[in-house]
Amino acid sequence: MERDTYTKTWMDEFKQPGQPMIIAGPCSAETPEQVMSIAKQLPKQVSVFRAGIWKPRTRPGGFEGVGAIGLKWLQEVKRETGLKIAVEIATVQHVELALQHDIDVLWIGARTTVNPFAVQEIADCLKGTDKIVLIKNPVNPDLGLWLGGVERLINAGISQIGVVHRGFSTYEKTKYRNVPEWQIAIDLKTQLPNIPIFCDPSHITGDRNRILEVSQQALDLNYDGLMIETHNDPDKAWSDAAQQVTPQQLGHILAALKVRNQTDETEEFLSQINRHRLQLDEMDTKILNILGKRMQIADQIGALKKTKNVAVFQQQRWIAVLEKMLQEGEQRGLTKEFITAVYAAIHQESIQRQDKIINK
């Protein structure tokens, strides 16, 4: 796959140079009056109007979208406002209807991305079209699935592609509706540097009061655009009420965002950042040396357990280690999430090495 031949140039007509592309609109299209009212109130920075027509629900009984009739409402929005329009598609039938109604931007949702068969069918259906296709990250943190979805679109000859980072599901209680797992998005950007990446802070936060914070984080990480759910009366929205903002609130959010420079070419900045990076490089080498020595001790423990026929996993020891590290980490200004992730990885590596030794 020729990844480096795909560029961000398709975005040029949607945004000002140096500014993020903004996609906004309600989680769900509810009535023709509702979508038109929202579209006409959106800030001028918004270039694409989004609205859910088909709404996949975890369990039946909830509002599952107005269906194909909503596409006609969006056509009217396009005629009245000049905004491009975007909808989520999950099946070949959705694609065919969207093409018939000349929808400009199609996005594949997180629940669909997890199914390679569905993504392939959508990609095949879109062959030969010039549509813009965005693909959201899968529900669970799986970089391979996300990359695979992009690759299926590229292999189908679709050149106007973007990805949308909307966070990942977790059983743990966190401040997010869907934890961002920023590193996964960074890894995707590293492998696909020429494909635009959008952030969906609405689904990451699940809370309109935190949209600005997460949007700024995304821009600080050099994201190309934002997709923000916007409703004229969010508290009465038929779906995802808590995470939607009003058009006026969206305007305040966009005005407050700070777009960072790619770099600073002044001698002072380059000198200081290079010095800091050298310090980090030295520390990273020391960390790896320490981790290597730690794993050597884990190997010795594994050999001792083998001699005494002792189980590899010792639950009470693991709980004690994690609690101790969380306390010490807090004293050093490190977050609980960071310490837990680091020591879970260290512990998992130790377990794997000891298990290999015991079962030789």
Side-chain angles (χ1 to χ4, degrees):
M1 184 185 67
E2 296 296 331
R3 291 176 173 173
D4 59 351
T5 63
Y6 293 83
T7 69
K8 303 177 181 181
T9 55
W10 66 261
M11 298 181 66
D12 292 346
E13 68 172 298
F14 295 99
K15 66 186 187 73
Q16 296 296 317
Q19 296 297 314
M21 176 177 164
I22 308 298
I23 303 172
C27 174
S28 301
E30 299 167 0
T31 67
E33 295 79 16
Q34 172 238 17
V35 293
M36 186 64 75
S37 172
I38 296 168
K40 288 185 174 181
Q41 295 180 67
L42 289 174
K44 65 181 185 302
Q45 297 98 315
V46 177
S47 54
V48 177
F49 179 81
R50 58 140 289 155
I53 303 299
W54 301 283
K55 301 298 298 180
R57 302 287 96 179
T58 302
R59 301 177 66 181
F63 175 60
E64 296 186 340
V66 297
I69 186 65
L71 296 171
K72 297 187 182 300
W73 306 348
L74 296 185
Q75 283 182 317
E76 190 60 30
V77 165
K78 185 175 181 178
R79 281 193 290 268
E80 286 277 330
T81 66
L83 289 167
K84 302 291 186 181
I85 49 178
V87 297
E88 178 178 349
I89 43 97
T91 68
V92 168
Q93 182 186 28
H94 293 170
V95 174
E96 292 172 345
L97 286 166
L99 293 176
Q100 290 169 19
H101 290 81
D102 196 27
I103 303 300
D104 302 289
V105 180
L106 311 176
W107 83 81
I108 299 172
R111 297 170 188 266
T112 306
T113 307
V114 301
N115 185 345
F117 294 106
V119 176
Q120 187 62 59
E121 288 177 353
I122 290 170
D124 291 341
C125 190
L126 285 167
K127 275 184 180 178
T129 72
D130 61 353
K131 293 301 178 184
I132 298 165
V133 184
L134 309 179
I135 183 163
K136 289 194 171 185
N137 63 254
V139 173
N140 296 317
D142 189 327
L143 176 61
L145 268 179
W146 201 3
L147 285 167
V150 175
E151 290 167 348
R152 291 176 191 280
L153 295 174
I154 291 176
N155 290 340
I158 301 163
S159 59
Q160 300 190 111
I161 301 174
V163 295
V164 182
H165 176 206
R166 50 83 75 192
F168 302 88
S169 295
T170 178
Y171 287 113
E172 297 179 9
K173 184 177 178 59
T174 75
K175 61 184 179 181
Y176 301 105
R177 176 183 177 185
N178 295 293
V179 290
E181 299 282 7
W182 296 104
Q183 187 59 47
I184 293 177
I186 290 170
D187 290 343
L188 184 133
K189 278 170 61 70
T190 300
Q191 295 200 41
L192 301 172
N194 294 326
I195 290 182
I197 182 167
F198 293 76
C199 181
D200 177 350
S202 306
H203 278 91
I204 288 177
T205 64
D207 177 359
R208 69 177 64 97
N209 295 315
R210 306 196 65 218
I211 298 293
L212 173 59
E213 171 194 336
V214 171
S215 296
Q216 186 62 63
Q217 283 181 281
L219 294 190
D220 291 347
L221 291 172
N222 211 18
Y223 279 47
D224 300 284
L226 302 169
M227 178 185 281
I228 301 178
E229 291 189 349
T230 309
H231 195 288
N232 54 347
D233 193 355
D235 290 331
K236 295 182 180 178
W238 295 3
S239 58
D240 288 347
Q243 68 190 38
Q244 300 190 67
V245 297
T246 66
Q248 293 72 32
Q249 289 170 328
L250 177 62
H252 294 318
I253 289 169
L254 297 180
L257 289 173
K258 297 179 176 62
V259 179
R260 311 299 184 187
N261 296 325
Q262 291 285 332
T263 187
D264 186 311
E265 298 296 337
T266 63
E267 184 177 347
E268 179 186 13
F269 172 80
L270 294 174
S271 174
Q272 290 184 21
I273 198 167
N274 286 335
R275 183 173 69 251
H276 292 318
R277 286 170 175 169
L278 283 172
Q279 291 174 323
L280 288 178
D281 289 345
E282 291 177 3
M283 290 179 183
D284 287 340
T285 299
K286 290 177 181 177
I287 289 171
L288 287 178
N289 287 335
I290 291 172
L291 286 174
K293 292 177 180 178
R294 192 188 193 283
M295 291 307 160
Q296 289 175 2
I297 296 172
D299 291 346
Q300 294 170 14
I301 292 173
L304 180 60
K305 287 177 178 177
K306 181 177 182 178
T307 301
K308 300 298 182 181
N309 195 32
V310 173
V312 169
F313 179 54
Q314 302 290 315
Q315 185 172 4
Q316 293 304 315
R317 168 63 180 169
W318 163 237
I319 292 173
V321 168
L322 184 58
E323 288 180 350
K324 181 175 184 291
M325 292 303 101
L326 286 172
Q327 291 175 3
E328 293 192 10
E330 183 179 6
Q331 294 171 7
R332 292 165 172 79
L334 302 174
T335 66
K336 177 181 178 181
E337 292 81 6
F338 174 68
I339 292 298
T340 301
V342 168
Y343 275 88
I346 291 173
H347 184 246
Q348 182 62 34
E349 177 69 10
S350 297
I351 289 291
Q352 289 176 349
R353 293 171 73 104
Q354 291 183 30
D355 186 67
K356 186 176 180 179
I357 289 170
I358 284 179
N359 288 291
K360 271 186 178 179

